[in-house]
Amino acid sequence: MSAATPLEIRLPDDALQPAFERLKAAWNAKQGLSYQERMKLLDRLAGALKRWEERLATAISEDFGNRSRYETALTEIFVPLSAIKYIKKNLRGWMRPSARETSWVFMPAKNRVIHQPLGVVGIIAPWNYPLQLAVVPLAYAIAAGNRVLIKPSELTPRTSEAMQAMLTEVFEPDVVAVVTGGPEVGIAFSKLPFDHLFFTGSTSVGRHVMRAAADNLVPVTLELGGKSPAIVHPEFPLDKAAERIAVGKLFNAGQTCVAPDYTLVREDQVDAFVDAFKAVVGKSFATLADNADYTSIVSDRHYKRLVGLVDEARTRGARIVEINPRGETLAPASRKLAPTLVIGAPDDASLMRDEIFGPIMPIVTYQRLDDAIAYVNARPRPLALYYFDRDGERARKVLSETTSGGACINDTLLHVGQEDLPFGGVGASGIGAYHGPEGFFTFSHKKAVFMQARLNSAGLLNPPYGKTVDRLLNLLVGKTRRR
Ligand code: NAD
């Protein structure tokens, strides 16, 4: 039995319940969106993203303290726009019913799968890409014809407000609504009897969300985090590996769910890797303090957490290499944290157990490739894995002997930018996926439909059973039965 009906839920946010009920009522009265409505709304969403770009970029930067305008343009504007373009190109095909095989026994009946909107979908978004991680799931949910309620993160309040204003401009409140608030709103939100709940955030909160959803048997997609490894094979050019790993790590100051969390380097190459990493940072971020393209850590709590991770590793005997090309003083108030390499941190240090989510890169050493694979496999399944090697055979071995949500060979992050590839975790890094056709099907119900033909043989198997059924069974089972 469902633990709570909408009316029984006590809500901390007055806006939540009415917003949800309006969407539910609209679903009950009008159901989902037609193809034409979906296409029109996707166009309007794309137009709004372009019109609101400046306001949104300012809001995001103010929320972070400083967020590179380029990072914002690429990930919060370009990524949703290209997702919308891709969805529009493929939507007709995805919506088409698919024909399925019919066994000769039931011919000439036909089998079809039809794709229906699920109903009212809830989306809970995190702060690290506060616009993209609300708007891209929204685009897929709309493409599948649903009505949607969104709860953005409380850590990026200006962005949430701007996004709410933008989406109010695009959508009627009985199609899409945004409710704001902190964890208490998140808790109430995840208790609502949605038809699907799509959560992006930490693994620990994901557990709470799934537990709350279970009371109403609400299916969930959980887009979570974790520690994504980068493995460098000794034959791969170290400077190139260091460049791609550093770029992946330092984008958004490491506050990316698929950022390479730590790097596995062969023992004898550690010093060369450190030098190559330092060289890349020097080239990309000659200055940190006054560099508008070096993003700040989102909050004081996260800043202190990251400083604490390095301090603990240092105390436990790790070598710390802080890369601050001009030796600037980075005021804690700016929440800019210099890229930091940590070598030799013990396995049980917090840095090696928790997702880092900042510009700190632990380097773990290995001797044989099998040892690196074993190191990864001894830990929870990561969201991404990055392997650097030009040998295809070895790359296939690493891909087949490890399990991760996604992977890149010879690069980092870029698999997430490939719109036709599904994006999601596995094990502790998530459940389900979106992007690509998977995005549409995540938000659709696959309804199995059997269509009986006017002339058919179904009556032959009806009781009273007798010789005809015996003969048919002999044929079907391939063995003779006697009465
Ligand atoms: P978080 O889990 O702290 O918060 C995410 C959202 O959940 C916020 O809107 C928050 O208000 C809400 N929330 C908090 N407590 C809740 C509860 N008990 N019930 C329901 N909702 C609740 O995550 P965050 O700090 O905003 O984001 C960082 C994390 O998200 C990292 O672990 C990162 O790896 C992960 N992440 C994953 C992806 C992905 O696509 N897989 C993308 C970005 C971030």
Side-chain angles (χ1 to χ4, degrees):
M1 216 181 100
S2 109
T5 66
L7 294 175
E8 288 164 359
I9 296 166
R10 295 204 179 284
L11 299 163
D13 179 355
D14 293 345
L16 178 56
Q17 186 72 12
F20 176 74
E21 280 177 5
R22 194 180 297 118
L23 292 163
K24 263 287 187 216
W27 173 265
N28 290 337
K30 303 183 259 187
Q31 273 84 49
L33 309 169
S34 68
Y35 172 74
Q36 284 75 16
E37 285 171 318
R38 302 177 197 190
M39 292 294 276
K40 190 178 87 194
L41 289 173
L42 289 169
D43 273 337
R44 290 179 54 179
L45 180 58
L49 283 167
K50 289 180 198 163
R51 275 197 313 284
W52 280 73
E53 176 173 354
E54 276 308 305
R55 275 174 284 183
L56 288 162
T58 303
I60 296 174
S61 192
E62 284 175 359
D63 280 336
F64 271 75
N66 176 62
R67 158 67 102 72
S68 161
R69 294 267 163 169
Y70 293 96
E71 290 176 353
T72 294
L74 277 169
T75 59
E76 316 273 8
I77 303 295
F78 168 70
V79 169
L81 286 178
S82 58
I84 292 171
K85 195 167 161 200
Y86 165 84
I87 290 170
K88 285 178 55 198
K89 193 176 94 192
N90 291 287
L91 186 54
R92 262 264 189 250
W94 294 334
M95 285 176 71
R96 214 165 274 141
S98 61
R100 296 291 173 98
E101 242 178 61
T102 311
S103 152
W104 64 267
V105 182
F106 302 102
M107 280 182 182
K110 286 197 166 69
N111 286 326
R112 294 275 182 279
V113 173
I114 60 174
H115 307 113
Q116 272 192 318
L118 294 168
V120 178
V121 167
I123 294 175
I124 301 180
W127 53 264
N128 63 328
Y129 292 97
L131 183 64
Q132 181 201 140
L133 296 173
V135 163
V136 175
L138 169 67
Y140 279 99
I142 289 295
N146 299 281
R147 295 169 193 274
V148 186
L149 188 58
I150 301 175
K151 193 208 92 61
S153 169
E154 67 282 7
L155 283 191
T156 43
R158 298 169 191 87
T159 311
S160 303
E161 208 176 291
M163 182 166 67
Q164 188 176 34
M166 176 185 79
L167 295 178
T168 308
E169 205 178 272
V170 175
F171 298 98
E172 293 299 330
D174 67 353
V175 178
V176 174
V178 179
V179 287
T180 53
E184 65 300 342
V185 177
I187 291 169
F189 192 98
S190 51
K191 285 182 182 162
L192 290 171
F194 286 108
D195 297 297
H196 192 92
L197 188 51
F198 186 100
F199 169 82
T200 305
S202 57
T203 300
S204 59
V205 173
R207 288 181 213 278
H208 292 294
V209 168
M210 191 164 175
R211 228 175 266 135
D215 278 342
N216 292 315
L217 284 182
V218 173
V220 290
T221 301
L222 301 179
E223 296 279 340
L224 310 176
K227 292 180 85 63
S228 298
I231 307 175
V232 184
H233 190 274
E235 283 172 23
F236 190 85
L238 263 188
D239 53 339
K240 288 215 160 50
E243 181 192 324
R244 290 162 194 179
I245 293 169
V247 166
K249 184 66 155 183
L250 300 179
F251 199 89
N252 206 26
Q255 301 164 107
T256 303
C257 56
V258 285
D261 186 278
Y262 62 95
T263 305
L264 283 147
V265 179
R266 200 174 67 181
E267 220 162 25
D268 57 330
Q269 293 192 326
V270 170
D271 289 338
F273 183 81
V274 168
D275 289 343
F277 199 102
K278 279 161 94 172
V280 182
V281 176
K283 210 165 93 190
S284 301
F285 300 105
T287 156
L288 300 173
D290 295 323
N291 189 342
D293 289 327
Y294 193 66
T295 293
S296 299
I297 303 305
V298 73
S299 70
D300 285 336
R301 184 172 67 82
H302 281 287
Y303 179 83
K304 285 190 187 125
R305 178 183 64 80
L306 290 165
V307 171
L309 290 179
V310 176
D311 285 347
E312 186 202 341
R314 184 185 287 113
T315 314
R316 309 266 323 262
R319 174 155 73 102
I320 311 295
V321 180
E322 194 185 282
I323 312 172
N324 184 340
R326 290 230 182 118
E328 294 156 313
T329 305
L330 300 175
S334 73
R335 296 195 302 273
K336 282 193 171 182
L337 201 61
T340 304
L341 298 171
V342 180
I343 303 114
D347 272 355
D348 62 347
S350 309
L351 182 77
M352 303 312 297
R353 284 188 285 116
D354 304 338
E355 179 182 14
I356 297 172
F357 230 56
I360 304 165
M361 175 61 85
I363 297 172
V364 179
T365 57
Y366 71 88
Q367 286 180 332
R368 293 162 43 250
L369 183 57
D370 283 333
D371 302 335
I373 293 173
Y375 186 92
V376 171
N377 286 340
R379 285 159 178 77
R381 292 173 166 181
L383 185 56
L385 181 140
Y386 304 114
Y387 182 58
F388 291 84
D389 194 349
R390 296 225 165 105
D391 181 284
E393 189 104 344
R394 282 194 302 253
R396 278 190 290 281
K397 170 185 161 77
V398 171
L399 288 176
S400 77
E401 292 182 13
T402 58
T403 305
S404 58
C408 281
I409 302 297
N410 300 338
D411 218 319
T412 60
L413 311 189
L414 293 182
H415 62 301
V416 185
Q418 314 308 309
E419 209 43 59
D420 205 30
L421 286 180
F423 173 50
V426 57
S429 59
I431 295 174
Y434 69 128
H435 291 208
E438 286 78 2
F440 175 81
F441 294 115
T442 284
F443 292 111
S444 301
H445 169 55
K446 290 188 171 182
K447 185 186 273 183
V449 182
F450 172 80
M451 287 176 286
Q452 186 57 286
R454 186 190 290 244
L455 293 173
N456 61 72
S457 56
L460 297 178
L461 286 169
N462 288 356
Y465 304 119
K467 277 202 178 124
T468 315
V469 177
D470 273 338
R471 270 191 215 114
L472 272 170
L473 276 171
N474 287 347
L475 203 65
L476 291 176
V477 179
K479 114 180 182 202
T480 309
R481 66 193 67 226
R482 295 183 212 290
R483 279 177 172 269

